[in-house]
Amino acid sequence: MTGFGKVTAELPSKQVTVEIKSLNSKQLDLNTRISAVYREKEIEIRNELLQRLERGKIELSIHIENIGKDTAARINFPVVESYYEQIKALSDSLHLAEPSDWFRTLLRMPDAVRNEVGELEASEWETVHGAMSEAIRRLIDFRVQEGAMLQKLFEEKIAAIAALLTQIDRYEGERIEKIKSRLLENLKHAGEMEYDRNRFEQELIYYIEKLDVNEEKTRLCNHLKYFVDTMNQGHGQGKKLGFIAQEIGREINTLGSKSNHAEMQQIVVQMKDELEQIKEQVLNVL
């Protein structure tokens, strides 16, 4: 959801620059800095940003630079005159020297300069709105490019997890034999005590069934396919992809807890690394 768009509109006496930035956020978090003359359009601006951008931490600024002789800033003569008289009276009363630079002193006083905001003409707003619309379009184009890169990344990571999943098969038969051998070895160390071989086989089967990972493998495979299918549905799937990534993580964690085998656990660690990179970037998806 990151993006950037900037457009400058030329008007007869001023230059208006519209700049818009977007960062990741689960909802629309909008911050605007709009020149006073366009404040009456703020609700319209916010609604358009909501409709076109949907989510993200959005920062919009509309800045005016005067390029003609006319300016909205006006010297407030009565206020400046009042300050002059007060400072002069204070100087005489306290026997202090008067300011050496009266203009600098007076014009820096509060309300010495005021900005006069006139009515917004329809033609001016049409030009500024066009610049804002173009800035939004450029930001969306930026997002589309980022989305294409993210899709490629997700496809690579999902394929990597799927490939790692197939590597688990080679260790499953070996794992069962190791578990059986270890249990028999422990019985030998326990001494010459008698034990029921049928019961031992039953317990072994029960133990192996508890460690069976076929269901987790099937569910994980289905989640990986579901992630790709959802991603290919296009716009507006970001939250759903986040939920699917969480489910993928649950199955990988269960695989790790059940594996009881060094090589399988190493594969699980690699899966988690691939998934973590997906989780970091899925927040960028609308």
Side-chain angles (χ1 to χ4, degrees), residues 55-273:
R55 286 169 58 198
K57 186 176 182 181
I58 310 297
E59 291 185 9
L60 170 73
S61 69
I62 302 180
H63 173 70
I64 296 175
E65 181 182 354
N66 289 302
I67 55 178
K69 293 182 179 180
D70 293 334
T71 175
R74 294 288 184 270
I75 295 175
N76 196 336
F77 284 93
V79 171
V80 172
E81 187 176 8
S82 175
Y83 281 135
Y84 172 78
E85 292 172 355
Q86 291 180 62
I87 294 172
K88 193 171 181 58
L90 185 64
S91 176
D92 293 339
S93 175
L94 299 178
H95 306 290
L96 296 174
E98 294 180 1
S100 58
D101 189 342
W102 274 105
F103 281 111
R104 180 186 293 273
T105 302
L106 293 172
L107 294 179
R108 292 176 65 179
M109 300 300 287
D111 300 321
V113 178
R114 66 176 184 269
N115 286 313
E116 295 181 350
V117 180
E119 282 193 24
L120 177 61
E121 295 181 2
S123 59
E124 178 178 340
W125 173 241
E126 184 179 351
T127 301
V128 174
H129 180 264
M132 184 185 76
S133 184
E134 174 63 16
I136 294 173
R137 188 195 66 77
R138 292 183 185 183
L139 185 145
I140 292 173
D141 287 346
F142 194 106
R143 282 181 166 183
V144 170
Q145 293 175 13
E146 182 187 46
M149 291 187 291
L150 287 177
Q151 181 172 2
K152 184 179 179 182
L153 172 69
F154 290 152
E155 288 171 349
E156 291 173 354
K157 298 304 174 184
I158 292 295
I161 294 173
L164 288 166
L165 182 59
T166 62
Q167 295 180 24
I168 287 178
D169 296 342
R170 74 179 74 165
Y171 298 112
E172 286 196 82
E174 177 188 335
R175 180 182 64 140
I176 292 171
E177 288 303 318
K178 281 186 176 181
I179 292 170
K180 188 173 180 180
S181 300
R182 188 165 65 247
L183 290 173
L184 288 170
E185 189 68 24
N186 289 337
L187 284 173
K188 286 181 182 178
H189 287 307
E192 298 298 329
M193 67 178 187
E194 294 289 332
Y195 66 91
D196 187 333
R197 289 187 174 273
N198 288 331
R199 181 62 184 272
F200 172 74
E201 292 293 338
Q202 291 174 2
E203 292 292 336
L204 182 61
I205 291 169
Y206 173 73
Y207 183 56
I208 290 173
E209 283 179 348
K210 283 186 67 176
L211 296 178
D212 182 68
V213 295
N214 282 319
E215 287 187 15
E216 286 74 21
K217 286 163 55 184
T218 300
R219 285 197 295 266
L220 178 54
C221 188
N222 289 337
H223 290 331
L224 295 175
K225 184 177 182 301
Y226 189 33
F227 187 98
V228 174
D229 290 344
T230 301
M231 180 174 59
N232 290 334
Q233 289 177 16
H235 183 77
Q237 303 299 326
K239 290 183 179 179
K240 193 173 182 180
L241 290 176
F243 295 144
I244 300 171
Q246 290 179 6
E247 293 302 315
I248 292 173
R250 288 193 182 95
E251 299 305 331
I252 292 175
N253 287 335
T254 307
L255 272 174
S257 63
K258 281 188 170 185
S259 62
N260 202 23
H261 188 280
E263 284 79 3
M264 286 176 65
Q265 287 173 337
Q266 289 175 9
I267 292 173
V268 166
V269 169
Q270 293 176 59
M271 286 182 177
K272 288 182 177 180
D273 182 53

